[in-house]
């Protein structure tokens, strides 16, 4: 892949192409200003259409963790026999295992089937399975539902990461991932409050409180799945086919600005050789390891926060459900601020390092303070930090690779390892260690020390590669003129 002197890839080389007319070679200053205004208007349209629905869809995975964690402090564990041994942890683990196994084919399917059909289908399936979970009777049936949920949800994270990274320039990515994560945690936090209200329906209609949680939120997810087909947008090169979105001229402008940034709007023909060769890039494994380490923390907090509040801090069932929501509302503030700074100054590594240090401090407060108020404040600091790092790490990997299939492979790989981190994270909060949960505390602190080390190694590598590129001694990511962002 190459980028010519105007910053455009080979897709714009044909002078007869309508896209070629959009090159900036012969533009006057007034034309440049007009084009930038038009690009800004189109970018706003993309924000309003894509980031809103992406935030809702991304929230479904955390919606599931919110339901099961809230239900875990009700009668559900006893009703289904999940209170014996490690059955509850296994029910969390099996969801992640099923999701990890289907991550790569699901992410490729986003490109092959198109985002509208793909996301509408899997979202409706997720809602239907969640709704059916309200009527199960045994822990074995819960395990089966969790497997089906994992399969249905396998393409959400990597698919949305692929779609968003295809629509924005590299210096715009982190803020958009922050919008995605901000919408996700707002829905999760609101779900906690909704679960608090639904638990008060315990006994109504011959259903327990936890059954109402699954029934109502599963029905909502089904409705969102139907709306998704018309709401979500296609990839930039096909965006004029989306429902009431961009016309052909606007779609050409949208593809132009991305092609000018990194020259990878149009995917190469699909082949398994093209897919598998990208696994030879060691950067993918560094990114994947970072997501594994991050999700050790996010899983332990999102699934077990109500249990920590109840068993570790002495709150009642309903208060534990209710108090698990505010840390997620707070998390929207640091994720937006840190992402705005990261995009404005094109910083990735320093932002990730700062967030990691904040998380270490938060877990120190949670694990070693004596006052309940200080420990609860630690959940705010830790939650805000890991939510912020999710956006930062996504933009970190998306800013430093090119090519649509490589983006798909990387998104699938990091999400799979993110899921494997969830497998490990589901076992580090050990009930017998209440109220301190020291295993979870030390593993979470250690994981983010490792993240800082990985970022330091990447920063050195990226600096050296960029230096060689400036001297004309290296072509980065098979793209002339491309440089790493760190």
């Amino acid at each position: 892949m190459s980028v010519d002197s105007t910053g455009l890839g080979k897709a714009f080389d044909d002078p007869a192409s309508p896209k070629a007319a959009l090159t900036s070679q012969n533009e006057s200053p007034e034309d440049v200003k007009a084009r930038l205004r038009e690009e800004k208007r189109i970018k706003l349209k993309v924000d309003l259409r894509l980031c809103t629905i992406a935030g809702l869809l991304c929230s479904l995975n955390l919606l599931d963790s919110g339901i099961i964690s809230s239900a875990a402090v009700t009668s559900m564990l006893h009703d289904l026999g999940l209170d014996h041994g490690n059955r509850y942890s296994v029910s969390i683990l099996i969801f992640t295992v099923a999701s990890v196994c289907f991550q790569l084919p699901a992410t490729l399917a986003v490109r092959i089937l198109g985002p509208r059909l793909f996301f509408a289908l899997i979202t409706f399936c997720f809602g239907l399975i969640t709704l059916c979970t309200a009527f199960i009777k045994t822990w074995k049936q819960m395990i089966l539902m969790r497997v089906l949920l994992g399969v249905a949800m396998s393409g959400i994270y990597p698919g949305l990461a692929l779609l968003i990274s295809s629509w924005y320039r590299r210096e715009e990515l982190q803020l958009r991932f922050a919008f995605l994560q901000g919408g996700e945690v707002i829905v999760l936090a609101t779900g906690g409050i909704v679960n608090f209200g639904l638990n008060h329906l315990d006994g109504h209609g011959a259903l327990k409180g936890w059954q109402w949680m699954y029934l109502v939120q599963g029905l909502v997810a089904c409705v969102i799945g139907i709306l998704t087909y018309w709401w979500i947008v296609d990839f930039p090169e096909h965006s004029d086919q989306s429902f009431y979105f961009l016309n052909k001229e606007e779609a050409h402008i949208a593809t132009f600005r991305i092609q000018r940034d990194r020259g990878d709007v149009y995917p190469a023909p699909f082949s398994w050789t093209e897919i598998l060769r990208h696994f030879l890039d060691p950067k993918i494994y560094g990114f994947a390891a970072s997501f594994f380490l991050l999700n050790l923390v996010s899983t332990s907090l999102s699934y077990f926060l109500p249990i920590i509040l109840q068993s570790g801090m002495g709150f009642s069932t309903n208060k534990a459900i209710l108090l698990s929501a505010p840390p997620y509302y707070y998390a929207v503030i640091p994720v937006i601020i840190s992402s705005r700074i990261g995009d404005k100054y094109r910083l990735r590594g320093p932002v990730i390092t700062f967030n990691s240090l904040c998380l270490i401090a938060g877990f120190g407060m949670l694990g070693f303070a004596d006052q309940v108020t200080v420990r609860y404040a630690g959940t705010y600091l830790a939650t805000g930090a890991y939510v912020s790092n999710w956006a930062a790490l996504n933009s970190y990997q998306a800013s430093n690779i090119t090519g649509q299939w490589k983006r798909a492979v990387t998104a699938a790989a990091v999400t799979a390892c993110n899921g494997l981190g969830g497998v490990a994270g589901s076992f580090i909060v050990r009930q017998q260690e209440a109220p301190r949960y020291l295993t979870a505390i030390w593993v979470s602190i250690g994981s983010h020390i490792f993240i800082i080390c990985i970022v330091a190694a990447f920063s050195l590598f990226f600096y050296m590669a960029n230096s060689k590129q400036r001297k004309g001694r290296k072509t980065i990511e098979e793209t002339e003129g491309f440089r790493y962002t760190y």
Side-chain angles (χ1 to χ4, degrees), residues 64 80 91 94-95 98 125-126 128-153 214:
D64 165 72
L80 300 180
S91 70
I94 201 68
F95 168 89
C125 290
F126 170 84
L128 185 62
I129 297 166
T130 301
L131 189 153
C132 291
T133 305
F135 304 102
I136 62 176
K137 302 297 182 183
T138 68
W139 69 274
K140 292 181 180 179
Q141 292 172 348
M142 172 61 93
I143 297 297
L144 176 60
M145 290 294 103
R146 301 292 294 167
V147 171
L148 295 176
L149 277 174
V151 174
M153 292 301 295
Y214 279 103

Side-chain angles (χ1 to χ4, degrees), residues 93-298:
L93 179 151
I94 201 68
F95 168 89
T96 306
V97 171
S99 180
V100 167
C101 290
F102 284 85
Q103 229 118 58
L104 180 59
T107 308
L108 299 178
V110 179
R111 256 293 172 190
I112 296 169
L113 298 178
R116 295 174 65 197
L117 177 61
F118 177 82
F119 287 114
L121 180 63
I122 64 173
T123 303
F124 183 83
C125 290
F126 170 84
L128 185 62
I129 297 166
T130 301
L131 189 153
C132 291
T133 305
F135 304 102
I136 62 176
K137 302 297 182 183
T138 68
W139 69 274
K140 292 181 180 179
Q141 292 172 348
M142 172 61 93
I143 297 297
L144 176 60
M145 290 294 103
R146 301 292 294 167
V147 171
L148 295 176
L149 277 174
V151 174
M153 292 301 295
S154 60
I156 286 287
Y157 270 157
L160 288 174
L162 172 63
L163 183 59
I164 287 178
S165 66
S166 298
W167 266 104
Y168 293 100
R169 294 168 60 90
R170 284 174 289 165
E171 69 271 16
E172 300 164 350
L173 277 175
Q174 188 168 342
L175 186 60
R176 271 65 195 186
F177 280 119
F179 290 157
L180 178 69
Q181 192 70 352
E184 179 182 19
V185 296
I186 286 174
V187 171
L188 174 64
T190 304
I193 296 173
V194 170
N195 289 333
F196 170 78
L198 292 174
N199 194 44
H200 283 80
L201 295 177
D202 189 48
H204 288 69
L207 296 177
K208 301 288 184 67
W210 65 268
Q211 292 176 297
W212 279 108
M213 296 178 196
Y214 279 103
L215 179 64
V216 172
Q217 293 176 77
L219 181 61
V220 170
C222 286
V223 173
I224 293 174
I226 295 171
L227 294 176
T228 295
Y229 184 79
W230 291 278
W231 190 346
I232 204 165
V233 302
D234 213 318
F235 287 98
E237 67 273 23
H238 302 303
S239 55
D240 58 306
Q241 301 172 17
S242 301
F243 185 73
Y244 278 99
F245 186 42
L246 302 182
N247 58 38
K248 287 188 176 182
E249 182 180 353
E250 290 171 330
H252 292 159
I253 294 172
T255 55
F256 165 76
R257 63 189 299 272
I258 302 304
Q259 194 74 1
R260 184 176 53 189
D261 178 55
R262 56 181 181 265
D264 71 347
V265 168
Y266 298 94
F270 175 83
S271 72
W272 282 109
T273 301
E274 173 68 18
I275 298 299
L276 296 176
R277 76 181 183 89
H278 296 306
F279 284 102
L280 299 176
D281 187 344
K283 292 197 305 294
I284 291 179
Y285 301 97
F287 293 136
S290 299
F291 274 87
F292 174 88
L293 296 167
L294 177 68
N295 207 35
L296 280 172
V297 173
S298 62

Side-chain angles (χ1 to χ4, degrees), residues 85-86 89 307 311 427-439:
N86 62 351
S89 291
I307 294 175
S311 302
F427 287 98
I428 66 174
V429 179
R430 305 168 67 185
Q431 291 282 20
Q432 62 267 33
E433 293 184 351
R436 293 294 179 181
Y437 299 101
L438 289 180
T439 297

Side-chain angles (χ1 to χ4, degrees), residues 19-39:
K19 303 183 190 74
L22 296 172
T23 63
S24 56
Q25 285 179 320
N26 301 316
E27 285 183 316
S28 67
E30 290 76 15
D31 291 336
V32 172
K33 290 180 181 179
R35 176 173 57 79
L36 292 177
R37 283 196 301 269
E38 183 67 4
E39 288 184 1

Side-chain angles (χ1 to χ4, degrees), residues 32-48:
V32 172
K33 290 180 181 179
R35 176 173 57 79
L36 292 177
R37 283 196 301 269
E38 183 67 4
E39 288 184 1
K40 185 176 181 180
R41 184 184 67 82
I42 292 172
K43 186 169 64 175
L44 178 60
K45 291 181 71 171
V46 178
D47 287 341
L48 293 175

Side-chain angles (χ1 to χ4, degrees), residues 244-472:
Y244 278 99
F245 186 42
L246 302 182
N247 58 38
K248 287 188 176 182
E249 182 180 353
E250 290 171 330
H252 292 159
I253 294 172
T255 55
F256 165 76
R257 63 189 299 272
I258 302 304
Q259 194 74 1
R260 184 176 53 189
D261 178 55
R262 56 181 181 265
D264 71 347
V265 168
Y266 298 94
F270 175 83
S271 72
W272 282 109
T273 301
E274 173 68 18
I275 298 299
L276 296 176
R277 76 181 183 89
H278 296 306
F279 284 102
L280 299 176
D281 187 344
K283 292 197 305 294
I284 291 179
Y285 301 97
F287 293 136
S290 299
F291 274 87
F292 174 88
L293 296 167
L294 177 68
N295 207 35
L296 280 172
V297 173
S298 62
T299 299
S300 63
L301 274 177
S302 62
Y303 279 103
F304 291 98
L305 184 56
I307 294 175
I308 293 171
L309 291 169
Q310 184 185 51
S311 302
M313 300 186 188
F315 292 105
S316 66
T317 296
N318 284 325
K319 284 185 177 180
I321 295 174
L322 194 61
L323 289 173
S324 64
Y328 290 100
Y329 284 121
Y330 159 78
V332 176
I333 299 173
V335 71
I336 294 296
I337 293 175
S338 64
S339 296
R340 184 70 184 91
I341 293 172
D343 278 349
K344 182 176 181 180
Y345 298 103
R346 299 195 180 191
L347 295 174
R348 298 293 182 251
V351 173
I352 295 169
T353 300
F354 175 78
N355 290 333
S356 298
L357 292 173
C358 288
L359 184 138
I360 290 170
F363 267 91
M365 295 165 63
L366 180 59
F368 306 117
D370 293 323
Q371 292 182 328
V372 171
T373 303
V374 176
R375 297 185 69 201
Y376 184 55
T379 66
Y380 279 74
L381 196 57
T383 303
Y386 92 71
V387 168
S388 299
N389 256 356
W390 189 89
L393 283 171
N394 265 293
S395 61
Y396 196 41
Q397 60 90 3
S399 296
N400 290 304
I401 54 174
T402 63
Q404 289 295 318
W405 294 120
K406 188 170 186 178
R407 289 185 182 282
V409 167
T410 306
V414 300
T415 307
C417 285
N418 187 66
L420 293 175
V423 172
S426 65
F427 287 98
I428 66 174
V429 179
R430 305 168 67 185
Q431 291 282 20
Q432 62 267 33
E433 293 184 351
R436 293 294 179 181
Y437 299 101
L438 289 180
T439 297
I441 298 298
W442 281 116
V443 169
S444 299
I445 290 174
S447 69
H448 278 66
I449 292 174
F450 277 116
I451 287 177
I452 293 172
C453 293
I454 291 172
V455 168
F458 266 142
S459 295
L460 178 61
F461 171 76
F462 290 160
Y463 172 79
M464 294 173 64
N466 284 355
S467 297
K468 291 180 180 179
Q469 190 277 335
R470 289 188 187 96
K471 297 174 183 178

